[in-house]
Amino acid sequence: MPPKAHDEEIDVDDAPTDIDPYAVLSVDRSATPNQIKSSYRKAALKHHPDKASPEDKDTAHTKFQEVAFAYAILSDERRRKRYDATGNTSESLDLDDDDFDWTSFFREQYKSAVTEASINKFADEYKGSDEEQRHVLDAFQKAKGNMESIYQMVMLSDMVNDEDRFRVIIDKAIANGGVEAYKKYSGESEASRKKRTDRARKQKEKEAKEAEEAEQEIEEDLKSKTKQSEAKVKPKAKKGPGDMNELAALIQQRQQGRSAETFIAGLEAKYAGESKGGKGGRGGTKRGSSDEPSEEAFARNRAINKADKSEGDAGAGARKSKRSRKA
């Protein structure tokens, strides 16, 4: 379900001041600002209402507000110090010269949490980190050396690009006695490994082609809709600015609804596997994690963003034409 088109329609309850922000974000009291930010991103993506099923949306909305409020407290040095001293989030909001507004802050977090930019930023920080290494080794032990299952468990992992890198991590841990040398791992033949990665590569190429076709379809649809919008604007130009406002509102609503619906669909399709016990999927391309979206979802979202920008330019051109006729 896409997010609501207008900020005023996003439900904002009173700030959940009875929470422990450290517990909500699952961080220690000694956590650094970067650790707090990283934990917030993962929690926001995991609990965003747009990722929840219809029957779970109310619960997700409440949880997301707690996550956003916890971040509001811990991301600001003054508010965090006040909370550490008093243990009261209400008092943390009562600071001199602090113009913090909960409603505005929540709406901004609601809109910006599930975006390609925020997830790419997280991916850049996550890949190659100590946290990712722990996740790889934990998944290795849970899967008892089954590499295909590992890619279903480790978020943002890609069998085509990460195979060699993950093997370096695992081989080092085996040599140090950190993990067991499971037969499924050490006994996998080169032929079996090649067959597995080739299958993943073909699936990835298929999904890339589908994303490209989706982009072309969106662009063609945009051209058609733009022509229709321009045709409707011309005969109504004499009726006044209200017509242009209606067109702008229509474009904005279509942009937000279509972009969110496509992107969230990618999230759900990519990470539904976790609820099934982390099994299944082909070639590691449908990994089970409720935290992060897929590379293929990025491609679809880029197509949407490109189309939205073109549509925004079309709307601006129509407004300019309107002003010229009035002059």
Side-chain angles (χ1 to χ4, degrees):
M1 179 177 179
K4 296 174 182 177
H6 304 289
D7 288 355
E8 61 270 15
E9 294 179 6
I10 297 175
D11 295 331
V12 185
D13 300 330
D14 292 336
T17 55
D18 58 341
I19 66 168
D20 176 349
Y22 290 101
V24 169
L25 296 185
S26 300
V27 296
D28 296 331
R29 288 183 173 269
S30 59
T32 65
N34 284 338
Q35 289 173 331
I36 290 171
K37 183 181 294 185
S38 177
S39 294
Y40 164 70
R41 287 189 188 129
K42 286 187 287 185
L45 287 166
K46 181 177 181 180
H47 298 290
H48 198 285
D50 288 338
K51 289 182 61 180
S53 58
E55 63 271 19
D56 294 331
K57 280 195 176 294
D58 288 344
T59 300
H61 185 81
T62 299
K63 184 63 178 178
F64 184 80
Q65 288 194 105
E66 293 177 354
V67 168
F69 187 69
Y71 184 62
I73 299 298
L74 300 185
S75 63
D76 183 272
E77 184 178 0
R78 294 174 65 202
R79 289 195 285 270
R80 182 179 180 181
K81 285 183 177 179
R82 174 65 68 86
Y83 177 77
D84 288 343
T86 65
N88 189 313
T89 54
S90 296
E91 293 189 16
S92 300
L93 299 180
D94 188 21
L95 300 175
D96 294 336
D97 302 322
D98 186 2
D99 58 355
F100 175 78
D101 178 69
W102 162 240
T103 299
S104 299
F105 182 86
F106 174 77
R107 286 175 173 163
E108 179 60 31
Q109 300 309 306
Y110 189 101
K111 291 187 299 180
S112 64
V114 183
T115 65
E116 180 181 356
S118 66
I119 297 165
N120 279 338
K121 185 175 178 62
F122 173 80
D124 289 341
E125 297 171 354
Y126 176 74
K127 290 203 169 188
S129 67
D130 291 341
E131 182 181 18
E132 183 198 44
Q133 181 172 316
R134 289 195 303 272
H135 290 169
V136 169
L137 296 178
D138 286 345
F140 177 77
Q141 293 180 87
K142 290 177 181 178
K144 297 188 182 301
N146 186 318
M147 288 298 290
E148 195 154 356
S149 295
I150 289 173
Y151 292 102
Q152 298 166 14
M153 299 180 193
V154 179
M155 60 185 176
L156 294 174
S157 61
D158 183 331
M159 191 182 296
V160 176
N161 297 326
D162 296 328
E163 177 78 9
D164 292 339
R165 190 167 63 86
F166 281 9
R167 281 185 171 272
V168 169
I169 295 172
I170 294 168
D171 289 345
K172 183 178 180 180
I174 291 175
N176 293 337
V179 296
E180 180 180 342
Y182 295 103
K183 186 176 180 179
K184 284 185 179 179
Y185 175 77
S186 59
E188 184 181 30
S189 66
E190 285 296 324
S192 177
R193 176 182 172 186
K194 184 177 185 302
K195 183 178 180 180
R196 172 169 55 81
T197 54
D198 284 348
R199 186 169 64 248
R201 184 177 292 104
K202 289 178 181 178
Q203 179 66 17
K204 188 174 182 180
E205 290 171 353
K206 177 183 177 182
E207 291 174 346
K209 183 178 179 180
E210 290 173 351
E212 183 179 354
E213 291 173 349
E215 180 177 356
Q216 293 175 352
E217 183 179 345
I218 291 168
E219 289 179 349
E220 291 173 359
D221 180 65
L222 172 62
K223 290 178 182 178
S224 175
K225 295 293 177 61
T226 300
K227 289 180 180 178
Q228 293 177 15
S229 297
E230 290 175 346
K232 291 180 180 179
V233 169
K234 289 179 181 179
K236 293 183 178 181
K238 295 181 180 181
K239 294 185 178 181
D243 300 307
M244 292 308 300
N245 291 337
E246 291 175 5
L247 176 60
L250 175 62
I251 290 174
Q252 181 186 33
Q253 185 174 10
R254 285 175 53 224
Q255 286 174 344
Q256 294 177 336
R258 184 177 59 201
S259 178
E261 184 175 5
T262 302
F263 192 45
I264 296 304
L267 289 174
E268 294 172 347
K270 188 69 175 181
Y271 293 99
E274 185 172 278
S275 63
K276 299 178 181 179
K279 296 183 180 180
R282 290 180 295 174
T285 60
K286 294 187 180 297
R287 296 176 290 280
S289 169
S290 60
D291 288 341
E292 305 300 330
S294 68
E295 298 294 335
E296 293 74 30
F298 292 165
R300 287 191 291 270
N301 204 39
R302 278 192 291 271
I304 294 297
N305 291 336
K306 181 178 179 181
D308 288 348
K309 181 178 184 302
S310 298
E311 190 166 86
D313 292 342
R319 290 191 293 272
K320 183 176 180 182
S321 175
K322 168 70 176 178
R323 289 194 297 271
S324 297
R325 287 194 295 272
K326 288 184 67 177

